[in-house]
Amino acid sequence: PGTMPNPDPTPEQCAAQATADPGPAYSRRLTRGEYDNTVADLLGDTTKPATSGTVFPPEELSLNFDNAPAALTVSPVLAQAYFDTAEALAKTALGASSPLLPCAASAGRSCAEQFVASFGAKAFRRPITPEESTRYLKVFDAGAQSDFQTGIRLAASAMLQSAPFLYRLEFGAGKAANNSYLKLSSYEMASRLSYLLWRSMPDDELTKAAAANQLETPAQIEAQARRMLSAPRLRGTVIDFHSQWLGLRKLSLLEKDKQIFPKFNANVASDMRVEIESFVGEVLLGATPNASQLFTANFSLLNQNLAAYYGLQAPGGSGFQRVSLDPKRSAGLLTLGGILAENAKSNQTSPVLRGKFVRTQLLCEPLNPPPAGVDTAVPDISATATTRERFEQHKTNPSCAGCHKFMDPIGLSFENFDAAGIWRDQDAGQPVDASGEVVSSDVSGPFNGAAELGQKLAQSAQVKACLVKNWYRYANGRTEADADACALVGLGKRFADSSYDVKELLVALTQSDAFLYRRDNAQGAAQ
């Protein structure tokens, strides 16, 4: 822990590199969020069947993200959920006057043939094959023995349970020029773009471009990406990334000692998550986007309930409104209540958790688990000893000091905020000492308080590289490999050249080899 990253490859080394290995070629199952977005766009159903209840089990996380194909297996519980949900969606969406029917029911099987072709092309995100058409028409025929509507619902239900709907299947469209990897078909590229930028199926314009085979060149792909970045639904993707990167799903389960923090409750935790998501959207998708402001912005977005909880003046109007904060106390994400509360214990602050959050999430430095046999119990709360004094043992115990020197001096700088995210001036009856230090980083050195830490992190190239690395993982559903080193360097340069505009980083991602190509399974890739 605490070691500096390996040196980046030089421009000369990257210039000499051929097309980089795009990584394993997975069949990528839709996540619950992608499933909900897709059925909304396909069927007009906005009930969010995958995420609004407990029928769909949550995804396994890999490096904080829920979209790693290797982790997205299908359990018997999930298979049953797919069956039940497909039946319910088809029944709701395909009534007698459904806009999804391209013809009148009186046309009988002729209408069914048109429906299977049109609905199948939308559901599968590419034209349906003759073999598939025959298969689903057989399902229609079986149901039509009762009546036309039953046949249509059964055919649609079968398609909504099929692999081409539930998975993003990619087979490639021939070898790319001058390398041994495969290009994607325009339809496959349309899906890559839409699920990266919108977490849903392609829209009509993207589908038309695919049908015209106009997603062949990097320039064509970039043009579509820039069009898509102007759509409001991009906000959902940016928020989803940050929610996962920052671990915000923990907020819904967060509990605090009611005797010590009586104002904290589930409604406050829910509002804290909205605050973080609203802040991210404002900083990264506002008039002057710059990711550095994630750590320096002196404002937040609060509703009346959350403002009262923090002891701040309530904003005018309803909903979440922008509120200016004291620049001596605020440091963007670092000092938002939800981040502070989820990185604390139920009854006290935690310099370890808060320091670990900065070290692992923001600096991308994994930390080793405690040695076997080491006592990891949190020091007892004391009416006379401050948190800093109680955690002094981490410095004096040789078994602890080796790792805790990377976390505790950072985490102690947040001591002006209690375990429930509220500012405090005293701890155990003494003035808070919020001095801290970063070691083994490109911004090493002492500082005082979270606001100064935010300034350091905003200037850190290591933090920016960590953000790029996490977007790369999110975009490709896997961790980075040695072959990705030049891609990460190039993405980092484009990110910096754009004054850290996340939209430009997303455009750059669509131009990376990992996005443009796929392995040939004959070369040993996983499918």
Side-chain angles (χ1 to χ4, degrees):
T3 57
M4 291 295 290
N6 292 328
D8 291 330
T10 66
E12 292 74 22
Q13 290 171 324
C14 289
Q17 183 189 57
T19 302
D21 184 349
Y26 292 107
S27 297
R28 300 183 65 164
R29 177 170 68 78
L30 301 185
T31 66
R32 291 178 302 161
E34 290 169 342
Y35 183 98
D36 282 346
N37 292 342
T38 301
V39 299
D41 288 338
L42 176 65
L43 306 173
D45 188 299
T46 58
T47 60
K48 298 185 177 181
T51 57
S52 61
T54 59
V55 175
F56 282 62
E59 293 87 1
E60 292 290 331
L61 300 184
S62 176
L63 294 171
N64 300 309
F65 298 117
D66 66 6
N67 64 348
L72 294 179
T73 57
V74 178
S75 66
V77 172
L78 181 56
Q80 186 64 46
Y82 282 145
F83 176 84
D84 293 340
T85 304
E87 292 273 301
L89 289 170
K91 183 176 181 179
T92 301
L94 288 160
S97 60
S98 171
L100 296 171
L101 284 172
C103 45
S106 59
R109 198 173 194 277
S110 173
C111 183
E113 292 172 359
Q114 295 179 56
F115 170 77
V116 166
S118 62
F119 184 77
K122 291 180 179 179
F124 295 172
R125 283 89 70 179
R126 45 92 176 148
I128 192 168
T129 67
E131 294 79 10
E132 290 168 335
S133 178
T134 299
R135 182 185 312 146
Y136 294 112
L137 283 170
K138 285 182 179 179
V139 176
F140 165 80
D141 290 338
Q145 293 180 20
S146 296
D147 56 62
F148 176 85
Q149 292 302 140
T150 299
I152 289 293
R153 286 199 298 270
L154 286 179
S157 175
M159 283 188 270
L160 293 174
Q161 298 172 62
S162 68
F165 173 73
L166 295 173
Y167 288 81
R168 291 159 52 194
L169 304 174
E170 297 175 347
F171 300 99
K175 296 288 186 182
N178 301 320
N179 69 73
S180 58
Y181 302 114
L182 299 178
K183 294 177 63 176
L184 276 72
S185 73
S186 283
Y187 283 106
E188 291 167 348
M189 181 54 69
S191 282
R192 278 204 179 185
L193 280 168
S194 64
Y195 282 98
L196 168 62
L197 301 179
W198 289 347
R199 300 173 62 239
S200 189
M201 61 185 285
D203 66 352
D204 288 344
E205 187 166 343
L206 201 53
T207 301
K208 288 177 182 177
N213 208 28
Q214 292 178 350
L215 291 171
E216 286 280 292
T217 68
Q220 290 172 329
I221 293 165
E222 178 173 343
Q224 284 291 340
R226 291 192 178 280
R227 174 186 71 84
M228 297 169 71
L229 288 173
S230 65
R233 63 173 64 191
L234 174 69
R235 178 183 176 88
T237 299
V238 171
I239 287 175
D240 180 67
F241 166 81
H242 286 84
S243 293
Q244 296 193 57
W245 176 43
L246 301 172
L248 300 189
R249 66 172 58 191
K250 294 183 293 183
L251 278 172
S252 63
L253 305 174
L254 196 61
E255 295 183 354
K256 298 296 177 182
D257 188 310
K258 294 187 181 300
Q259 297 297 316
I260 303 174
F261 306 107
K263 295 198 299 181
F264 187 89
N265 55 44
N267 287 335
V268 167
S270 178
D271 285 345
M272 283 178 166
R273 177 163 184 166
V274 176
E275 177 191 13
I276 297 170
E277 293 174 346
S278 301
F279 172 81
V280 166
E282 183 78 3
V283 168
L284 298 181
L285 301 176
T288 57
N290 186 316
S292 297
Q293 296 176 31
L294 290 173
F295 312 107
T296 60
N298 302 136
F299 69 85
S300 187
L301 289 96
L302 306 175
N303 63 2
Q304 294 185 359
N305 179 55
L306 204 52
Y309 175 80
Y310 292 141
L312 300 173
Q313 183 175 351
S318 60
F320 283 76
Q321 307 291 328
R322 180 164 170 156
V323 174
S324 297
L325 301 175
D326 185 344
K328 295 180 180 179
R329 297 185 177 188
S330 60
L333 281 174
L334 300 177
T335 50
L336 297 185
I339 299 293
L340 295 160
E342 71 177 4
N343 291 290
K345 299 296 185 179
S346 64
N347 62 348
Q348 60 178 296
T349 61
S350 175
V352 177
L353 290 178
R354 290 174 174 178
K356 181 182 178 183
F357 170 79
V358 172
R359 209 87 219 189
T360 60
Q361 302 303 101
L362 306 184
L363 292 167
C364 284
E365 290 184 358
L367 296 169
N368 295 327
V374 171
D375 183 8
T376 59
V378 179
D380 292 334
I381 298 175
S382 168
T384 57
T386 66
T387 302
R388 184 179 291 272
E389 292 168 340
R390 291 186 293 110
F391 278 77
E392 189 71 16
Q393 61 182 289
H394 287 167
K395 293 171 61 177
T396 58
N397 184 337
S399 298
C400 303
C403 281
H404 280 276
K405 69 180 181 180
F406 298 107
M407 298 180 287
D408 292 16
I410 295 175
L412 287 166
S413 70
F414 295 98
E415 277 300 296
N416 275 122
F417 296 90
D418 68 19
I422 297 176
W423 179 271
R424 63 180 184 177
D425 291 305
Q426 293 192 330
D427 177 21
Q430 302 180 47
V432 167
D433 177 0
S435 59
E437 184 180 9
V438 179
V439 298
S440 298
S441 168
D442 64 340
V443 286
S444 294
F447 62 92
N448 188 51
E452 290 188 13
L453 173 62
Q455 294 293 331
K456 275 184 170 291
L457 297 181
Q459 297 167 15
S460 169
Q462 189 176 346
V463 167
K464 305 301 195 317
C466 182
L467 184 58
V468 168
K469 187 180 294 185
N470 275 283
W471 268 110
Y472 196 77
R473 294 169 176 173
Y474 181 82
N476 296 304
R478 63 174 175 82
T479 189
E480 64 285 349
D482 290 345
D484 299 309
C486 285
L488 291 170
V489 169
L491 290 168
K493 184 179 186 306
R494 288 190 61 171
F495 194 34
D497 290 346
S498 71
S499 297
Y500 303 109
D501 184 341
V502 165
K503 285 186 177 182
E504 290 301 317
L505 174 58
L506 288 170
V507 171
L509 280 166
T510 70
Q511 303 298 291
S512 65
D513 289 343
F515 192 85
L516 293 172
Y517 306 106
R518 59 152 286 168
R519 277 186 193 164
D520 186 342
N521 285 337
Q523 297 172 315
Q527 177 77 30

